[in-house]
């Protein structure tokens, strides 16, 4: 099968992750790297609206008629900050950065390892939107966790060095703080454990899997 999905991204890590997932269905993923400022990031309160807007704009730049195109948008949502930085994650990262987020939470400390995880709870969320040539399909993924008290590790990108994912049970669901899950970083951030382990928890992987589950016409044997 020679189906191709054009992925609107300039982030090589995101492209690689999408290629990995789609190849299981025999779908090739190619990067659609448009000139800067071609796609405007809308000011919106949720990732879905941002992703839908970017996808609608991308449709004007399809590499060929009938092409399938995908966008993916993600952000860090800190509960104690009412979801900030959320849709402003990119801007927040390039301005206040990881140290700025840590400063905003510096009053939230506790000697109890469970209480502090609850106080500093946060999630990564991702929304992937795909134009399949006829319809827009949406996939969503969440990775629950907590914000560390200091920057740890240098792997990954963005907020990875301050994000500690919640342990997961056998079926990939997050367990309560204080319970050791079947999959665990043992309190380490994504910045310490690196991409292979991050993949097991990844909000992005979950969003892509959700999207792929909606592509019944693209089974591998077809
Ligand atoms: P984007 O719009 O999907 O590129 O994500 C916006 C911002 O959120 C990025 O610039 C990162 O700072 C942050 N972000 C999104 N996903 C991740 C992740 O998986 N790890 C760390 N930071 C992330």
């Amino acid at each position: 099968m020679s189906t191709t999905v054009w992925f609107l991204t300039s982030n090589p890590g995101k492209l690689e992750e999408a290629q990995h997932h789609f190849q299981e269905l025999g779908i090739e993923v190619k990067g659609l790297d448009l000139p800067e400022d071609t796609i405007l990031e809308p000011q919106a309160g949720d990732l879905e609206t941002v992703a839908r807007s970017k996808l609608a704009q991308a449709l004007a730049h399809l590499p060929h008629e009938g092409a399938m195109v995908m966008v993916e948008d993600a952000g860090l949502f800190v509960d104690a900050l009412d979801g900030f930085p959320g849709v402003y994650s990119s801007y927040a990262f390039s301005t206040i950065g990881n140290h700025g987020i840590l400063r905003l939470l510096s009053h939230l400390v506790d000697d109890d390892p469970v209480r502090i995880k609850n106080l500093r709870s946060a999630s990564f969320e991702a929304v992937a939107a795909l134009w399949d040539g006829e319809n827009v399909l949406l996939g969503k993924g969440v990775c629950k966790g907590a914000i560390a008290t200091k920057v740890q590790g240098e792997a990954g990108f963005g907020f990875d060095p301050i994000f500690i994912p919640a342990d997961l049970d056998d079926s990939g669901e997050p367990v309560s703080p204080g319970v050791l899950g079947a999959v665990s970083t043992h309190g380490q951030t994504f910045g310490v454990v690196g991409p292979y382990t991050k993949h097991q928890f990844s909000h992005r992987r979950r969003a892509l899997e959700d999207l792929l589950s909606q592509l019944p016409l693209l089974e591998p044997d077809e």
Side-chain angles (χ1 to χ4, degrees):
M1 190 167 95
S2 60
T3 306
T4 301
V5 168
W6 293 88
F7 187 10
L8 179 72
T9 182
S10 52
N11 181 330
K14 282 190 180 186
L15 182 61
E16 207 175 302
E17 204 166 317
Q19 282 167 335
H20 174 79
H21 288 297
F22 280 72
Q23 80 183 10
E24 288 164 25
L25 292 186
I27 301 171
E28 187 181 9
V29 180
K30 290 184 179 165
L32 181 61
D33 197 3
L34 299 176
E36 216 179 316
D37 296 335
T38 309
I39 305 290
L40 300 177
E41 179 116 11
Q43 289 294 298
D46 62 280
L47 293 175
E48 181 177 330
T49 307
V50 176
R52 281 185 184 277
S53 165
K54 285 189 186 169
L55 186 63
Q57 295 177 67
L59 293 186
H61 304 278
L62 291 183
H64 60 84
E65 204 180 324
M68 293 170 78
V69 62
M70 181 173 78
V71 305
E72 187 266 341
D73 235 78
L76 175 70
F77 294 74
V78 179
D79 295 327
L81 303 177
D82 290 336
F84 180 83
V87 290
Y88 308 106
S89 290
S90 200
Y91 182 71
F93 184 73
S94 61
T95 51
I96 64 172
N98 282 327
H99 288 285
I101 298 291
L102 293 182
R103 268 197 304 278
L104 290 174
L105 300 183
S106 58
H107 59 297
L108 299 176
V109 286
D110 199 299
D111 289 337
D112 183 89
V114 174
R115 272 205 303 264
I116 194 166
K117 278 189 181 154
N118 285 327
L119 283 174
R120 299 173 73 96
S121 63
S123 304
F124 274 128
E125 295 184 20
V127 173
L130 175 84
W131 171 253
D132 70 359
E134 287 180 8
N135 299 298
V136 176
L137 303 179
L138 276 187
K140 297 183 182 182
V142 175
C143 172
K144 288 188 176 297
I147 303 298
T149 50
K150 56 182 195 284
V151 172
Q152 292 171 9
E154 290 172 1
F157 68 99
F159 299 110
D160 280 347
I162 60 167
F163 186 83
I164 303 169
D167 286 14
L168 304 176
D169 66 17
D170 283 333
S171 47
E173 293 303 316
V175 300
S176 304
V179 177
L180 180 64
V183 185
S184 175
T185 68
H186 304 283
Q188 310 268 44
T189 65
F190 279 155
V192 173
V193 297
Y196 176 75
T197 301
K198 177 181 174 182
H199 186 72
Q200 297 178 277
F201 298 84
S202 170
H203 47 301
R204 188 161 295 109
R205 175 180 64 79
R206 289 170 192 264
L208 293 176
E209 280 175 359
D210 185 20
L211 196 62
L212 285 171
S213 70
Q214 299 167 50
L215 285 173
L217 299 177
L218 296 173
E219 294 296 337
D221 295 332
E222 289 186 23

